[in-house]
């Protein structure tokens, strides 16, 4: 039985991880959970999964059945003081599913003890992926991506020689606004941008999918996770979301991972590693799918994708700053304080200011993040 800690258990990814675990109760034991705001759902999860530890920033959560374990000696489910402290608890796998840069030090804590990190936190990889890979090698841990696209690349690279890999290819559905006329985008309301045609995700990543900034972040993630250059990561539009990623080799052959669009496959891949899961998602019937289409991304429609790729080519400072700025901009768009098209306008200004090249020390990341957020608020005139 594998032991699991889930950081961000009440979010979209965390809930799906627990759904997979619930289907295999004899394979996994939940040891730790954490939440940021949703105390009610966290309380339900604590009651259901009875972990030994949890973290909630506002302090202890009132629980019922999980407070006492009458089957063994009496014990308490303990509230810890930080995500980092929870991440240090020895378990087989820590799932990092929190949003934003908040997961950085928890990721460092897992890998510094040689643990396995199943990571869905884009921002942490974008900002500190090089450092995480160094820790993985130094202490003998393992990073397993939970993003569907990077999980697909992870699978396609199994058994392959890295030196024979030519390019990594990420696919993009195009998001909720892919068919809207470009001249209408400035007036798009958040509720429309949140109606993704394929995937059911959290609000932040769904807006990022509509701008395609998420695919730009995934380009940077692929660079960090698989240690390739920006020029070796390509993006193609693929409306059907059946092919999740491809790997191109020196002989110009390609290997891809096909499945129905369901993140539970990536989750099961991470939890089951190095084995395959079983019946993780519905079978894929290609005869019913019919045609699969691929095309170049339209940068006039998706300027945020182009900006993120430019940041990847510029260096770590630009990547950190753009990731931080996007967190601010998406939140303010969801709050109704800026227009949809203002996101790209502001990101362009942030990139121009933070386009310094070169590597960034781990201790400097949060400082750059903070300065970029402040500058972004100044740009959009929101306090």
């Amino acid at each position: 039985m594998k032991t699991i800690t889930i950081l961000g258990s009440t979010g979209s990814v965390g809930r799906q991880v627990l759904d997979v675990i619930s289907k295999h109760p004899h394979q996994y034991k939940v040891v730790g959970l954490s939440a940021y705001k949703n105390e009610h759902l966290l309380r339900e999860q604590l009651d259901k999964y009875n972990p030994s530890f949890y973290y909630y920033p506002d302090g202890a959560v009132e629980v019922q059945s999980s407070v006492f374990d009458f089957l063994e000696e009496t014990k308490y489910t303990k509230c810890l003081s930080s995500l980092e402290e929870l991440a240090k608890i020895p378990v087989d796998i820590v799932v990092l599913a929190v949003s934003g840069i908040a997961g950085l030090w928890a990721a460092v804590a897992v890998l510094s003890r040689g643990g396995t990190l199943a990571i869905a936190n884009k921002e942490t990889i974008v900002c500190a992926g090089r450092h995480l890979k160094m820790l993985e090698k130094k202490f003998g841990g393992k990073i397993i991506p939970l993003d569907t696209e990077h999980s697909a690349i992870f699978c396609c690279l199994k058994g392959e020689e890295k030196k024979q890999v030519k390019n990594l290819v990420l696919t993009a559905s195009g998001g909720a606004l892919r068919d809207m006329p470009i001249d209408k985008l400035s007036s798009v309301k958040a509720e429309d941008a949140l109606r993704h045609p394929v995937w059911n995700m959290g609000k932040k990543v769904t807006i990022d999918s509509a701008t395609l900034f998420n695919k730009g972040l995934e380009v940077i993630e692929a660079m960090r996770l698989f240690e390739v250059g920006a020029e070796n990561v390509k993006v193609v539009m693929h409306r059907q979301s059946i092919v999740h990623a491809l790997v191109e080799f020196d002989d110009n052959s390609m290997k891809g991972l096909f499945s129905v669009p369901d993140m539970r496959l990536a989750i099961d891949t991470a939890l089951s590693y190095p084995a395959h899961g079983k019946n993780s998602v519905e079978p894929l019937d290609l005869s019913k799918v019919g045609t699969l289409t691929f095309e170049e991304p339209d940068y006039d429609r998706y300027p945020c994708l182009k900006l993120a790729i430019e940041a990847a080519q510029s260096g770590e400072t630009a990547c950190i700053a753009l990731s931080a700025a996007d967190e601010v901009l998406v939140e303010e768009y969801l709050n109704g304080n800026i227009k949809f098209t203002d996101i790209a306008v502001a990101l362009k200004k942030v990139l121009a200011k933070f386009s310094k090249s070169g590597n960034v020390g781990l201790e400097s990341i949060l400082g750059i993040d903070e300065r970029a957020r402040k500058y972004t608020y100044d740009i959009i005139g929101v306090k």
Side-chain angles (χ1 to χ4, degrees), residues 203-214 217 326 330:
K203 288 185 177 182
K204 202 276 185 179
V205 71
T206 304
I207 299 300
D208 282 346
S209 180
T211 65
L212 226 59
F213 186 75
N214 75 314
L217 289 180
D326 182 69
V330 170

Side-chain angles (χ1 to χ4, degrees), residues 157-215:
L157 289 175
K158 280 184 181 179
E160 301 290 353
E161 290 284 343
K162 181 180 176 182
K163 63 183 179 181
Q164 295 180 336
V165 174
K166 186 176 181 179
N167 291 305
L168 308 178
V169 183
L170 302 171
T171 58
S173 69
L177 309 176
R178 62 191 185 185
D179 295 318
M180 179 171 286
I182 294 176
D183 60 2
K184 303 292 185 182
L185 292 176
S186 63
S187 60
V188 169
K189 301 299 182 184
E191 55 264 32
D192 296 318
L194 288 169
R195 295 192 182 104
H196 198 287
V198 179
W199 297 97
N200 180 20
M201 306 175 290
K203 288 185 177 182
K204 202 276 185 179
V205 71
T206 304
I207 299 300
D208 282 346
S209 180
T211 65
L212 226 59
F213 186 75
N214 75 314
K215 206 55 55 176

Side-chain angles (χ1 to χ4, degrees), residues 307-365:
L307 291 168
I309 292 173
E310 289 175 2
Q313 296 166 339
S314 179
E316 290 182 352
T317 298
C319 294
I320 295 165
L322 228 62
S323 176
D326 182 69
E327 284 192 51
V328 171
L329 294 165
V330 170
E331 181 178 4
E332 295 306 323
Y333 172 63
L334 289 171
N335 290 338
N337 294 325
I338 63 173
K339 295 185 295 185
F340 182 82
T341 48
D342 289 338
I343 297 174
V345 172
L347 286 178
K348 185 174 183 179
K349 293 178 181 179
V350 172
L351 179 61
K353 185 174 179 63
F354 291 87
S355 58
K356 176 183 175 183
S357 61
N359 293 333
V360 173
L362 189 60
E363 68 285 348
S364 301
I365 291 173

Side-chain angles (χ1 to χ4, degrees), residues 34-329:
S34 83
Y36 178 57
K37 290 181 179 179
N38 196 336
E39 180 179 354
H40 176 75
L41 181 54
L42 177 61
R43 185 186 304 120
E44 291 181 357
Q45 292 174 348
L46 293 173
D47 283 333
K48 180 175 181 179
Y49 296 100
N50 194 21
S52 300
F53 306 95
Y54 72 96
Y55 168 67
Y56 186 68
D58 288 343
V61 172
E62 181 183 349
V63 291
Q64 298 173 18
S65 61
S66 63
V67 172
F68 296 107
D69 182 359
F70 292 107
L71 299 178
E72 302 176 6
E73 59 181 304
T74 300
K75 65 180 182 180
Y76 290 93
T77 297
K78 185 177 180 181
C79 179
L80 301 182
S81 61
S82 67
L83 273 180
E84 185 179 356
E85 185 182 7
L86 182 54
K88 289 179 178 178
I89 301 296
V91 292
D92 293 314
I93 303 172
V94 174
V95 174
L96 182 56
V98 301
S99 179
I101 196 64
L104 171 60
W105 294 112
V108 170
V110 174
L111 295 171
S112 294
R113 62 172 174 80
T116 296
L117 180 69
I119 184 167
N121 179 270
K122 281 181 167 60
E123 293 82 4
T124 292
I125 301 174
V126 166
C127 296
R130 180 175 58 86
H131 296 282
L132 299 185
K133 292 296 290 186
M134 290 170 61
L135 291 171
E136 178 188 43
K137 295 171 184 176
K138 180 177 180 179
F139 295 104
K142 187 70 177 176
I143 300 173
I144 305 177
L146 272 183
D147 261 354
T148 298
E149 295 80 2
H150 300 93
S151 175
I153 293 173
F154 182 79
C155 292
C156 289
L157 289 175
K158 280 184 181 179
E160 301 290 353
E161 290 284 343
K162 181 180 176 182
K163 63 183 179 181
Q164 295 180 336
V165 174
K166 186 176 181 179
N167 291 305
L168 308 178
V169 183
L170 302 171
T171 58
S173 69
L177 309 176
R178 62 191 185 185
D179 295 318
M180 179 171 286
I182 294 176
D183 60 2
K184 303 292 185 182
L185 292 176
S186 63
S187 60
V188 169
K189 301 299 182 184
E191 55 264 32
D192 296 318
L194 288 169
R195 295 192 182 104
H196 198 287
V198 179
W199 297 97
N200 180 20
M201 306 175 290
K203 288 185 177 182
K204 202 276 185 179
V205 71
T206 304
I207 299 300
D208 282 346
S209 180
T211 65
L212 226 59
F213 186 75
N214 75 314
K215 206 55 55 176
L217 289 180
E218 288 173 13
V219 168
I220 302 168
E221 282 185 89
M223 290 171 55
R224 304 291 186 245
L225 289 171
F226 305 109
E227 299 176 298
V228 299
E231 70 278 6
N232 300 115
V233 185
K234 312 298 182 182
V235 175
V236 296
M237 307 303 295
H238 172 54
R239 297 175 68 92
Q240 296 81 15
S241 296
I242 296 298
V243 182
H244 302 303
L246 304 108
V247 175
E248 182 182 12
F249 298 95
D250 284 338
D251 62 0
N252 293 325
S253 66
M254 302 184 87
K255 180 193 287 189
L257 187 141
F258 294 49
S259 81
V260 297
D262 190 330
M263 189 179 178
R264 288 176 296 176
L265 177 61
I267 292 169
D268 209 1
T269 297
L271 297 186
S272 302
Y273 180 84
H276 275 283
K278 186 174 182 180
N279 293 325
S280 307
V281 296
E282 293 297 317
L284 175 63
D285 187 339
L286 287 174
S287 64
K288 291 183 178 178
V289 171
T291 303
L292 298 178
T293 61
F294 304 90
E295 57 187 283
E296 290 286 331
D298 179 356
Y299 291 125
D300 290 332
R301 174 177 292 278
Y302 300 112
C304 293
L305 170 61
K306 185 177 181 181
L307 291 168
I309 292 173
E310 289 175 2
Q313 296 166 339
S314 179
E316 290 182 352
T317 298
C319 294
I320 295 165
L322 228 62
S323 176
D326 182 69
E327 284 192 51
V328 171
L329 294 165

Side-chain angles (χ1 to χ4, degrees), residues 1-23:
M1 180 175 284
K2 288 185 178 180
T3 52
I4 313 288
T5 289
I6 304 169
L7 308 180
S9 62
T10 60
S12 174
V13 175
R15 295 195 305 271
Q16 290 180 79
V17 172
L18 286 172
D19 180 58
V20 171
I21 288 174
S22 295
K23 289 179 170 59

